[in-house]
Structure formats: structure tokens, C-alpha cells
Amino acid sequence: MALVTVTDPARDYLAQLIEKQDVEGMGVRIFVTQPGTKNAETCLAYCPPNEIVPTDEQIDLEKFTLYLDHNSVPFLEEAYVDYSKDQMGGQLTIKAPNAKVPNVDENAPLPDRVNYVLASEINPNLAAHGGDVSLVEIVDESVAVLRFGGGCQGCSAVSLTLKQGVEKTLKDRVPEITSVRDVTDHTQTENAYYQ
């Protein structure tokens, strides 16, 4: 069973929305579009009884049933749904840290663990500058060969990002990694964040 946390305020808010639909047995489905990619998005949708899929996992939240899309389950581990009131009414927040890459454990192959850290920790930070980094290969059993893209390609600060950000994080999270190597062609600077 995927571990999805729905806070009490989120459950109450969703229950109010469902009640307004006036459909007996209405639930909510949580799913990930484009799971396992950098474009993954976690979504909630009404789930009337005639749209229940037999392979979905079900979580009884007392006021309604939450249906977990079967194909999304590995990407919904540690998902968190919350609602907080604010001056504009309120905001429903869905966080799914494993939507882009399913969570891996310490026994997973080295490239999978490196890709997980890149997708879940490093790329979200690089995205603020329109950049990203991907694993090309692992060489010498401990060197991660990386390629930067977007705003990182040709960026004048990429060596600082590589050593103090990417390498440090990878070595902390994946102890088998001893260093990183950048194979990006940084002569292409048209998208660089810092020129």
C-alpha cells in the first residue's frame, strides 16, 4: 500500500467539495501524469462510482474514499496532501517527492540512486535558473559523468554549481560516488543563466 498522507484539514476540505457534487459514493482519485519524468505532475480528481478502477488501491478517509491510481502507486510513496486557510480562502497543497523518480533504497543499482538524487534534490534547485543535470554514465565504479542543460549549459557559475552543489550532494547521499565529471559543451551560452 502506498503511503499517502492526507491531513485532517485537507480531508475536511475535500469532503466539502465532494458534498457539493451531490453524487452518492463520490471519492477522490490521486494520480501522477507522466510519472518518472521531469514533467511529472501529481493530480487529484473526483472519482464517481462509475469511474472506479478495480486495480486502484483504496484508502478509507472516513468521509470519502481516496483511490490511488495503480500505475502511479510507486510514484506516490510519501505523498502529502494538505489544506491551509488564508486570506483568499485557502490552498490545497499536494507534495509527491517521488513523482519524478520512484523512491529507491540503498540496495538499488548505483545509477538508479544517482538519478533519484538528481531528480528529487538537485534538479528542483537548478530549475530556478532554468537548468538541469542528467547522468550520462558511471565510470571507474565511483565517478558520476554528468551533462548540464538549459540555463546551466554555458553558465559562468557552472563549476561552482558542480563542485559545491552537485558533487557535494551526490557524495553525501550516495557514498559510493567519489567525484563527478562534467561532459557538457559549455561553449554554447545562448541559454546560460549567468554569462
Side-chain angles (χ1 to χ4, degrees):
M1 174 72 72
L3 177 64
V4 176
T5 301
V6 180
T7 65
D8 289 344
R11 185 196 63 205
D12 295 344
Y13 175 72
L14 290 168
Q16 289 174 5
L17 293 177
I18 289 169
E19 190 175 306
K20 291 177 185 176
Q21 299 305 304
D22 198 27
V23 174
E24 185 69 31
M26 178 77 80
V28 173
R29 172 173 281 111
I30 186 169
F31 58 97
V32 180
T33 61
Q34 300 183 50
T37 72
K38 68 180 182 177
N39 298 319
E41 290 190 29
T42 306
C43 307
L44 291 174
Y46 292 120
C47 184
N50 64 331
E51 293 181 12
I52 295 171
V53 179
T55 57
D56 286 350
E57 292 190 18
Q58 300 179 19
I59 299 176
D60 181 4
L61 295 177
E62 295 177 23
K63 297 182 179 190
F64 63 91
T65 300
L66 179 68
Y67 297 94
L68 283 64
D69 172 67
H70 175 75
N71 294 331
S72 300
V73 167
F75 303 92
L76 291 171
E77 286 292 329
E78 301 175 15
Y80 180 81
V81 182
D82 190 24
Y83 178 78
S84 57
K85 291 185 178 185
D86 60 25
Q87 297 169 340
M88 303 301 282
Q91 180 166 335
L92 187 66
T93 303
I94 308 168
K95 294 182 180 176
N98 301 304
K100 295 181 188 315
V101 178
N103 198 358
V104 296
D105 64 22
E106 65 275 357
N107 298 320
L110 185 58
D112 290 354
R113 289 183 285 139
V114 169
N115 280 322
Y116 178 76
V117 173
L118 292 175
S120 65
E121 295 184 45
I122 295 171
N123 280 331
N125 293 324
L126 297 178
H129 292 174
D132 63 80
V133 64
S134 59
L135 178 67
V136 175
E137 63 181 333
I138 305 281
V139 296
D140 300 330
E141 297 181 11
S142 65
V143 178
V145 178
L146 306 173
R147 178 171 288 117
F148 285 90
C152 293
Q153 184 175 7
C155 179
S156 62
V158 76
S159 61
L160 183 67
T161 300
L162 178 69
K163 290 296 179 189
Q164 292 186 3
V166 177
E167 183 175 61
K168 182 179 184 312
T169 302
L170 279 176
K171 287 167 68 175
D172 285 350
R173 303 290 189 274
V174 186
E176 295 92 330
I177 296 299
T178 58
S179 66
V180 297
R181 186 180 310 150
D182 180 10
V183 294
T184 310
D185 176 6
H186 288 290
T187 63
Q188 302 294 319
T189 61
E190 58 269 2
N191 293 323
Y193 189 77
Y194 293 112
Q195 299 208 8

